[in-house]
Amino acid sequence: MTKPDAKHNKFSKPVTSGKDSILTDTFGRKHNYLRISLTERCNLRCTYCMPAEGIQLSPKEHIMTYEEIYTIAKEFVNLGVTKIRLTGGEPLVRKDAALIIEKLASLPVALTLTTNGVIVDKFIDHFKKCGIRTLNVSLDSLDTKKNTDITRRNYFEKVYQNIMLLVNEGFTVKVNCVLMKGFNDNEIIDFINFSKKLPLHIRFIEFMPFDGNRWNMDKMVSLQEVLSEVQANFKKEEIIKLEDAPNDTTKSYKIKGYQGTFAIISSVTNPFCDGCNRIRLTANGQIKNCLFSSKESDLLTSLRAGKSITAIVQKAIQTKHKIRNGMDTLDKFKQIDEHNNRSMITIGG
């Protein structure tokens, strides 16, 4: 595997000769974090991510090849991207996932991925070889039956054991939990206690609207509701607010004496748009400048025609809204039409 040039720190921004302005929007936000969806396929069927009837997959010829993924990623790195996250669907079900990881690991970026954890044990050595030390693992319930209900598959024990394996192998593990009222909101304290003797970073995510997931505000558990539950179960002096980095999507906390931490991602009730530095590349080669935007910019067609993609990228960044695709109030957000956006599985998180 080709290693980054020794003159580059793996996590430092490459010299771009002024091109980094292409990834800076009209509000001064620099987009140095690229999330790449490798596939629309998944080995789970999570209710908040995929409609019960499934989705219409993009034709195989419309999906980026590993060479195209690398070419586009390399161009983004040249423009100033310093971090790449691989998503899906489930990124590890793609047959050439190991090859893609190895190719991207040759770029001077921090490389990581989000996975459902079902087959992560097969990639442990490859992750180490490619310098991946941090993973996000989705787990929405610590109860076997409820986990089966939400994923529509019975893989809880496998995912649980793989989380333990990652921890034992020295990986930093962030556990993503989408909270839904009346379903798993009674497990908030259980999840926090999961991090008591393990260096896990629990991340509670507000339920968000996407095509087919039957979203409404009544199902959502807000940041304040999570904090109220925490405050009802721990003493004030035991709850420690941690410092959040400028581009963090989370409000992070720690319980005194616990090895791990917990955080809340409040895209609905307390959006973090001011510090947004993320760009999303879908498996079929479209970029989305906001998770809630229904508009996309086609990179793959231009790439296959031998044309530069830089102007398309710049226009996408320059047309980004200040807050949630223009939904700058909660009232506007409540009126969102979930069917105007893709289902989450085809966006890539």
Side-chain angles (χ1 to χ4, degrees):
M1 180 180 69
T2 304
K3 292 293 183 181
D5 187 289
K7 294 181 181 179
H8 281 297
N9 179 301
K10 186 174 178 64
F11 303 100
S12 66
K13 187 172 181 178
V15 177
T16 58
S17 303
K19 290 183 180 179
D20 59 322
S21 61
I22 292 172
L23 297 185
T24 302
D25 68 14
T26 56
F27 304 99
R29 295 173 295 196
K30 294 183 178 180
H31 295 72
N32 63 344
Y33 179 8
L34 178 64
R35 302 171 68 102
I36 304 175
S37 174
L38 299 189
T39 180
E40 297 172 353
R41 298 180 182 274
C42 189
N43 44 7
L44 299 182
R45 294 292 184 271
C46 297
T47 58
Y48 57 82
C49 185
M50 181 187 290
E53 64 275 14
I55 62 165
Q56 181 66 49
L57 296 171
S58 297
K60 184 178 180 180
E61 62 271 18
H62 292 179
I63 299 296
M64 295 182 293
T65 65
Y66 84 86
E67 295 97 341
E68 290 165 342
I69 290 171
Y70 176 74
T71 299
I72 293 175
K74 186 177 180 180
E75 178 61 18
F76 270 102
V77 171
N78 288 337
L79 294 173
V81 160
T82 58
K83 179 178 180 180
I84 292 177
R85 176 178 298 280
L86 303 181
T87 67
E90 168 51 44
L92 299 180
V93 301
R94 182 162 165 155
K95 291 181 180 180
D96 57 356
L99 177 60
I100 293 170
I101 290 170
E102 188 165 337
K103 289 285 289 181
L104 295 180
S106 70
L107 297 172
V109 294
L111 183 62
T112 185
L113 74 153
T114 296
T115 173
N116 60 35
V118 175
I119 57 175
V120 77
D121 52 304
K122 302 179 186 298
F123 291 83
I124 296 291
D125 291 339
H126 198 68
F127 291 156
K128 291 180 179 179
K129 173 186 174 184
C130 295
I132 294 177
R133 302 304 302 175
T134 300
L135 292 95
N136 288 19
V137 181
S138 299
L139 183 68
D140 301 304
S141 177
L142 296 172
D143 178 88
T144 303
K145 184 183 182 304
K146 284 203 290 186
N147 195 267
T148 300
D149 288 344
I150 197 167
T151 64
R152 303 187 182 108
R153 296 291 185 273
N154 185 16
Y155 285 125
F156 173 75
E157 289 298 330
K158 184 66 183 297
V159 173
Y160 184 90
Q161 291 304 320
N162 278 343
I163 290 174
M164 296 299 104
L165 175 63
L166 288 169
V167 170
N168 291 336
E169 291 289 336
F171 289 86
T172 297
V173 181
K174 299 178 181 180
V175 178
N176 289 348
C177 172
V178 176
L179 288 176
M180 285 161 283
K181 196 163 292 184
F183 178 74
N184 61 354
D185 55 329
N186 64 339
E187 295 187 69
I188 292 171
I189 303 305
D190 292 337
F191 268 102
I192 293 175
N193 285 334
F194 190 25
S195 73
K196 183 175 184 178
K197 296 182 179 180
L198 293 169
L200 295 172
H201 304 279
I202 309 299
R203 292 145 55 92
F204 298 114
I205 303 172
E206 289 182 344
F207 183 39
M208 295 177 285
F210 298 101
D211 186 28
N213 72 356
R214 299 178 181 177
W215 180 86
N216 65 62
M217 286 289 290
D218 293 337
K219 293 181 181 179
M220 193 197 68
V221 182
S222 70
L223 177 146
Q224 191 52 55
E225 287 172 310
V226 174
L227 290 179
S228 295
E229 183 70 8
V230 173
Q231 291 160 359
N233 284 272
F234 295 98
K235 296 177 181 177
K236 184 177 180 180
E237 59 270 21
E238 292 179 315
I239 306 168
I240 303 168
K241 178 70 181 76
L242 302 176
E243 185 175 352
D244 300 307
N247 298 120
D248 278 352
T249 61
T250 57
K251 304 295 182 186
S252 300
Y253 299 83
K254 182 180 179 68
I255 301 300
K256 187 176 181 180
Y258 280 35
Q259 284 195 44
T261 66
F262 73 94
I264 305 150
I265 299 177
S266 51
S267 303
V268 177
T269 63
N270 189 26
F272 34 80
C273 302
D274 284 350
C276 183
N277 64 338
R278 291 165 294 284
I279 316 158
R280 289 173 170 82
L281 176 64
T282 66
N284 62 347
Q286 312 291 310
I287 55 172
K288 294 175 71 76
N289 64 14
C290 175
L291 185 60
F292 298 110
S293 175
S294 59
K295 295 181 180 178
E296 301 175 350
S297 301
D298 182 3
L299 297 187
L300 190 56
T301 299
S302 291
L303 183 72
R304 288 179 174 177
K307 299 178 182 178
S308 171
I309 63 173
T310 304
I312 302 172
V313 171
Q314 185 172 28
K315 184 177 179 180
I317 297 298
Q318 292 300 307
T319 55
K320 183 171 183 172
H321 287 275
K322 184 176 182 179
I323 297 176
R324 283 186 313 214
N325 195 40
M327 295 175 288
D328 52 2
T329 67
L330 194 55
D331 284 339
K332 288 181 181 179
F333 193 83
K334 288 177 182 178
Q335 304 305 315
I336 190 171
D337 180 358
E338 65 186 55
H339 300 293
N340 269 344
N341 204 350
R342 295 177 180 232
S343 58
M344 189 62 165
I345 193 170
T346 66
I347 296 175

